[in-house]
Amino acid sequence: MAMERNEQLHEEAEEALDQINKKTGRNMPQAIATGAALVILIVACLLLSIDVFVLLVVAFMILALWELRVDFATVGLHIPVVMLWICSSFTLIATYYSPYHLITMSLSVIVSIILVAIAASAKLTLGNRLSLAVAGKLSNTDASARLESSYNHDGGEQHHSRLSHVAVSVLTVLYIPLLASCIIIPLTFNDHPIAHAIMLVFMPALSDTGGLFAGAWLGKHKLSPRISPKKSVEGLIGSMLFAMIGSFAVFIFTYDPSLQTSRWWVPIVAGILIGAVGTFGDLCASMLKRDIGIKDMGHLLKGHGGVMDRVDSILMSAPFTCALLWVTGL
């Protein structure tokens, strides 16, 4: 009797988990395990030194650029990933170590745009690793994207002009190294690098978590059903509330009581900004994936898809969080 009862409870638990997975669109046990591993990795880097954290950001951006390289290639668009790796790494590291952070970032991005545009116009491809990666991506992609891929038929690259490759490559510079520089710059002012890193990286992640749970349990009103059917107004509110609570926690444990009294409104603004802009970043990524015809940007993070699926909201909210911290003197 007890064995039958245990089997029944086990089946009910599996059914409940399946329902949650379907509603969230993720394998939740995998997502939680991966999220915990990422938190441990980031915290360990912050405890070692801010320099190590900067190198971690560079590493994540390198992986994100490779994912974008494969994703764009599925529809015949080519970005010069090696040049992007070099320019992005230089931009982020130079922005951090230069005494003139903003000037260095601006000049590095301008030079990156020029070099990447030149490299994109050449359309050089080395080896067959990209072809294998695209083939693997297309095996999990819908039929229309497979037909559009330049790796499925001869002359496919003629569907796009040289200018299209350059335009997509320049967009990538603005999306990755420019926005990622806004994660680096707050580490350099007002002597609160760890608090700023937490605000920039963990608050968008916490916002995503709040939106996920609020949308799964309370979501009834669709936010943008054509772009992302699982996004809801309730999820957006949950994202803002979770980011707000997290921002208050960082605020209380970091700053002096005098600043807490005079800047009490900052965590509220931060929560609204991070929740709203982070959700917008998710929608932009969803729109890009829908146009390309893929489900996830990559498969490096179990339960989360690719690196780009995890950092899109972080990148999009970084300039707003950076500006808020700088303007308010925090």
Side-chain angles (χ1 to χ4, degrees), residues 1-329:
M1 188 70 177
M3 186 177 295
E4 292 179 358
R5 178 60 178 168
N6 289 336
E7 289 179 356
Q8 183 180 355
L9 290 174
H10 181 70
E11 290 176 359
E12 290 176 355
E14 285 188 345
E15 290 178 3
L17 182 60
D18 287 340
Q19 290 297 322
I20 293 173
N21 289 342
K22 289 178 182 178
K23 199 161 188 179
T24 58
R26 297 182 183 180
N27 184 320
M28 288 308 294
Q30 281 188 348
I32 292 170
T34 301
L38 289 174
V39 169
I40 292 171
L41 175 62
I42 295 170
V43 170
C45 291
L46 287 173
L47 291 177
L48 285 172
S49 74
I50 296 299
D51 301 71
V52 177
F53 175 75
V54 171
L55 294 178
L56 181 67
V57 174
V58 172
F60 267 86
M61 293 307 103
I62 288 174
L63 294 174
L65 285 167
W66 172 252
E67 288 183 351
L68 282 178
R69 172 69 166 118
V70 176
D71 293 337
F72 285 133
T74 61
V75 289
L77 289 167
H78 295 266
I79 61 175
V81 71
V82 175
M83 182 60 73
L84 281 163
W85 282 342
I86 295 171
C87 292
S88 298
S89 300
F90 178 83
T91 298
L92 297 181
I93 293 173
T95 297
Y96 179 68
Y97 285 106
S98 170
Y100 308 102
H101 308 290
L102 284 174
I103 295 175
T104 301
M105 181 199 75
S106 302
L107 292 177
S108 297
V109 169
I110 292 172
V111 172
S112 296
I113 289 173
I114 296 171
L115 294 177
V116 166
I118 294 172
S121 64
K123 294 194 300 181
L124 295 177
T125 301
L126 301 176
N128 64 347
R129 182 172 296 181
L130 178 62
S131 300
L132 295 175
V134 171
K137 170 71 73 172
L138 291 174
S139 66
N140 297 315
T141 303
D142 63 25
S144 61
R146 286 197 292 272
L147 290 174
E148 288 294 326
S149 174
S150 64
Y151 288 85
N152 255 0
H153 52 82
D154 295 334
E157 293 183 14
Q158 297 175 3
H159 284 280
H160 301 288
S161 67
R162 195 177 298 269
L163 182 60
S164 297
H165 301 292
V166 173
V168 170
S169 300
V170 171
L171 175 63
T172 303
V173 174
L174 300 178
Y175 189 27
I176 301 294
L178 177 59
L179 294 184
S181 296
C182 295
I183 300 175
I184 302 299
I185 288 177
L187 307 177
T188 65
F189 61 72
N190 294 343
D191 298 323
H192 290 294
I194 293 179
H196 290 176
I198 291 173
M199 286 289 293
L200 288 156
V201 175
F202 286 127
M203 292 309 105
L206 187 62
S207 173
D208 286 347
T209 302
L212 183 67
F213 283 106
W217 272 281
L218 302 174
K220 293 182 179 179
H221 302 87
K222 299 298 182 182
L223 185 64
S224 182
R226 291 185 62 185
I227 299 176
S228 183
K230 290 184 172 63
K231 295 288 184 187
S232 65
V233 175
E234 292 80 3
L236 174 60
I237 295 172
S239 294
M240 292 180 178
L241 289 177
F242 269 58
M244 203 177 296
I245 292 170
S247 299
F248 266 112
V250 174
F251 193 66
I252 291 170
F253 286 106
T254 302
Y255 300 103
D256 295 331
S258 58
L259 273 176
Q260 293 178 22
T261 302
S262 60
R263 307 281 198 280
W264 59 269
W265 48 270
V266 172
I268 299 175
V269 176
I272 294 172
L273 276 177
I274 292 171
V277 177
T279 300
F280 177 73
D282 286 338
L283 290 174
C284 289
S286 296
M287 187 183 299
L288 178 61
K289 288 186 286 187
R290 185 175 292 274
D291 287 343
I292 295 176
I294 57 177
K295 181 181 179 182
D296 296 311
M297 291 291 192
H299 303 282
L300 293 175
L301 303 177
K302 298 297 183 182
H304 292 271
V307 172
M308 278 303 303
D309 293 290
R310 189 86 316 268
V311 303
D312 50 12
S313 59
I314 295 175
L315 287 173
M316 196 64 72
S317 61
F320 296 91
T321 306
C322 175
L324 180 65
L325 293 171
W326 183 75
V327 169
T328 56

